[in-house]
Every structure is written in structure tokens, then in C-alpha cells.
């Protein structure tokens, strides 16, 4: 499986919670972020091996937060689905 679970925690990681997708989100649907290009070749999903070798998640993780309502955000923009 290539599925992922997204969780959020407080700063000292003593409280960790699952981030729930919108109720109407489709299984396997790609999550997007407003104002970022996901249509061009540069926005295409990376293959598993290059993603790990380049440590992409490690570079992005410091910019991933949740809003006061528990909505995941990247650089102040909410994660979006078609739901």
C-alpha cells in the first residue's frame, strides 16, 4: 500500500491526533494546496524512490501546521479536496 496517515501534534509531541479528511472526500483523491501548480509536469506526483532520496517530506514538514480548527495547512494555505 502507498496510503498515508496524516497526524498533527502539539509542539512537544505529547498530544497526537489523526487529521480527518472531509466526509465527502473520495478515497485515493489527491490533496492540493491553493495557489500551487499541480497540473504541470513539475506538479506531478514524485515516484517513491526519488521522494525518499531527496528527503522531500523532511524539507516540507516544518511548514505543515494545523489551524485552530484542525485543518492541515501548508504555508498558511489549507489542504483541499473536491469535497
Amino acid at each position: 500500500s502507498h496510503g498515508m496517515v496524516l497526524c498533527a501534534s502539539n509542539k512537544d509531541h505529547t498530544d497526537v491526533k489523526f487529521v480527518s479528511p472531509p466526509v465527502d472526500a473520495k478515497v485515493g483523491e489527491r490533496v492540493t494546496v491553493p495557489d500551487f501548480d499541480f497540473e504541470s509536469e513539475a506538479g506531478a506526483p514524485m515516484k517513491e524512490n526519488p521522494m525518499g532520496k531527496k528527503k522531500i517530506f523532511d524539507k516540507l514538514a516544518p511548514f505543515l501546521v494545523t489551524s485552530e480548527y484542525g485543518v492541515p495547512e501548508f504555508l498558511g494555505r489549507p489542504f483541499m479536496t473536491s469535497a
Side-chain angles (χ1 to χ4, degrees):
S1 171
H2 287 78
M4 295 185 78
V5 173
L6 185 60
C7 294
S9 72
N10 58 356
K11 288 187 183 205
D12 62 2
H13 302 284
T14 57
D15 187 21
V16 179
K17 296 181 180 175
F18 286 107
V19 174
S20 299
V23 175
D24 296 335
K26 297 176 180 119
V27 173
E29 180 178 1
R30 188 170 187 199
V31 175
T32 60
V33 178
D35 300 324
F36 283 86
D37 176 22
F38 291 92
E39 301 301 321
S40 71
E41 186 176 330
M46 293 186 83
K47 300 287 184 201
E48 188 174 331
N49 198 26
M51 180 79 147
K53 283 184 178 179
K54 293 182 180 182
K55 302 197 182 297
I56 302 295
F57 184 79
D58 295 342
K59 293 175 183 174
L60 299 177
F63 304 102
L64 298 171
V65 298
T66 52
S67 71
E68 62 184 292
Y69 305 105
V71 176
E73 296 180 347
F74 177 70
L75 295 175
R77 296 171 179 93
F79 284 22
M80 304 292 293
T81 67
S82 64

